[in-house]
Amino acid sequence: MRQRRGAAAVAAAACLTATIAGCSTSAKETATADPTPRNATVCVAASASASRPLAESYLEALKEHAKSGATVEQLVTAETPQEAVKHAVAKGCGVIATLAPSMAAAAREAAAANPDIVFEVAGFQPSKRLPKNLVPLNPGFDEAAFLAGYAAAATTRSGILGVMTASTGDSAVAQGFAQGVDFYNQAKGTGIVVQGWNAASRKATAVTSEAEVTSHVGTYLAQGADIVLVAAEAYSPAAIAAVKEAESDASLIFVGSDAWETIPDSHEVVMTSLLSDPTPVAATMLTYATDNALHDHADIGFTQRIEGAHLADFRDYGVRLSDEVKEELERLRDQIDKREIPIGKERK
């Protein structure tokens, strides 16, 4: 399967160059100028349960492309999400970004308490219920998750899949995965089910510890699931250990980094991973850092699509994908790029 193309790289570079001129226009269209200069000190906060490699990759992209007027600090870390966000506030950051869904609840609470700070937060979808200074951030994992869901539905042997996420709110990744499964079901007339996903609430089973991951993996396997999406990268090793402990031949899908490369002895369990190129997203994030306005219900990567996520190579699992499925995944990727298939509630 063609995961990353030259055209995508060119588009991302073009988006990066043009961002300040208007690649993402939602902030300028929805905000009223504030005569007080914005504190353009940008911080990325991460807890022990968050994906540090993902946070660091975005931090480096922000530093590389920070323009005049924006300062990007070192990664702010702490044991809990609440402590990490609190430290970022105390540090004097004017823009605080959190990339892990497990950080979302703490960021929302801090945004309500600090209305003069802009929070760019992964783990929420756009909603009028959010604080006006909280900008939902979508790195594009939902589109890669859609393809992973379709591939999982096409290759499951039991007809039962599972999903869990570190997000306690709406999960764009879990929703994208479920939409991919639904798309396959509608196209093929099948009835593949996703354990742990509630379509009505758009929420997935939430996990906040290794023990919860181990427990839910065991439950899904007992229910017959043979492919599980684990959108909680800090707990990925626990999920792999649970599958091995059960002596199951189930496969796992991960989010944030390539588990095949980063987790030892994972090859027999990994189906694929959802990866993100932070460059185009980071460029848009910087526009909020230097714009002297609080961005009332704006967003990054939802209303204005930003291409940056893709599937890692299927490697050993690839033998289970027929040529027909590989071709279908290629066509779906092209349709998503052309916005012929909307992913997520707020995509237009």
Side-chain angles (χ1 to χ4, degrees):
M1 173 184 174
R2 172 170 52 91
Q3 264 72 45
R4 305 189 68 174
R5 297 149 300 169
V10 172
C15 179
L16 176 60
T17 302
T19 294
I20 306 305
C23 184
S24 179
T25 60
S26 57
K28 297 188 179 294
E29 292 172 352
T30 61
T32 302
D34 186 335
T36 304
R38 164 154 309 289
N39 173 6
T41 302
V42 182
C43 297
V44 177
S47 69
S49 63
S51 167
R52 183 151 186 160
L54 180 64
E56 289 176 340
S57 70
Y58 273 82
L59 183 69
E60 291 306 311
L62 287 166
K63 287 182 177 180
E64 181 179 354
H65 300 292
K67 66 187 183 71
S68 176
T71 301
V72 181
E73 295 289 341
Q74 296 299 316
L75 186 66
V76 180
T77 60
E79 183 64 25
T80 69
Q82 290 78 9
E83 290 172 336
V85 174
K86 182 178 179 179
H87 289 173
V89 171
K91 195 177 181 67
C93 305
V95 179
I96 298 174
T98 60
L99 283 306
S102 59
M103 298 285 296
R108 179 177 184 170
E109 181 179 344
N114 298 274
D116 58 333
I117 299 175
V118 171
F119 289 79
E120 300 175 342
V121 182
F124 289 119
Q125 296 200 38
S127 170
K128 295 294 184 181
R129 298 189 302 271
L130 297 173
K132 293 181 179 181
N133 57 320
L134 190 154
V135 181
L137 169 63
N138 179 23
F141 285 130
D142 55 344
E143 295 181 351
F146 178 94
L147 297 174
Y150 189 93
T155 55
T156 176
R157 292 163 177 162
S158 67
I160 303 172
L161 311 174
V163 62
M164 65 184 73
T165 174
S167 174
T168 56
D170 294 355
S171 173
V173 173
Q175 182 171 355
F177 182 79
Q179 283 184 312
V181 176
D182 288 343
F183 196 93
Y184 182 89
N185 282 336
Q186 293 172 15
K188 307 295 184 178
T190 53
I192 311 301
V193 299
V194 182
Q195 301 289 355
W197 171 247
N198 187 318
S201 66
R202 299 190 308 278
K203 292 182 179 180
T205 295
V207 291
T208 59
S209 68
E210 291 185 353
E212 289 182 355
V213 170
T214 300
S215 175
H216 285 300
V217 168
T219 298
Y220 291 157
L221 296 181
Q223 292 171 338
D226 59 356
I227 302 174
V228 178
L229 170 66
V230 182
E233 187 183 8
Y235 307 129
S236 298
I240 292 174
V243 172
K244 290 186 174 183
E245 180 67 22
E247 297 183 348
S248 170
D249 61 356
S251 299
L252 302 176
I253 302 170
F254 298 102
V255 181
S257 63
D258 190 345
W260 177 283
E261 296 181 349
T262 60
I263 303 177
D265 302 323
S266 64
H267 295 181
E268 64 189 88
V269 178
V270 175
M271 174 179 171
T272 186
S273 299
L274 282 55
L275 308 179
S276 176
D277 175 5
T279 299
V281 181
T284 307
M285 292 168 70
L286 288 170
T287 67
Y288 291 88
T290 55
D291 190 331
N292 295 335
L294 285 176
H295 306 292
D296 186 356
H297 302 306
D299 68 76
I300 299 174
F302 286 95
T303 304
Q304 180 80 23
R305 180 179 174 274
I306 300 174
E307 185 169 338
H310 60 282
L311 291 179
D313 192 88
F314 287 100
R315 298 188 176 89
D316 288 354
Y317 193 91
V319 298
R320 294 176 58 175
L321 273 69
S322 66
D323 290 341
E324 179 183 2
V325 171
K326 292 176 182 177
E327 291 173 0
E328 289 170 350
L329 290 172
E330 281 289 333
R331 288 197 297 270
L332 290 173
R333 176 77 267 180
D334 288 340
Q335 287 179 279
I336 292 172
D337 288 346
K338 295 174 182 177
R339 307 188 74 174
E340 295 174 354
I341 301 177
I343 312 297
K345 181 172 73 90
E346 297 295 333
R347 288 300 177 90
K348 298 177 181 178

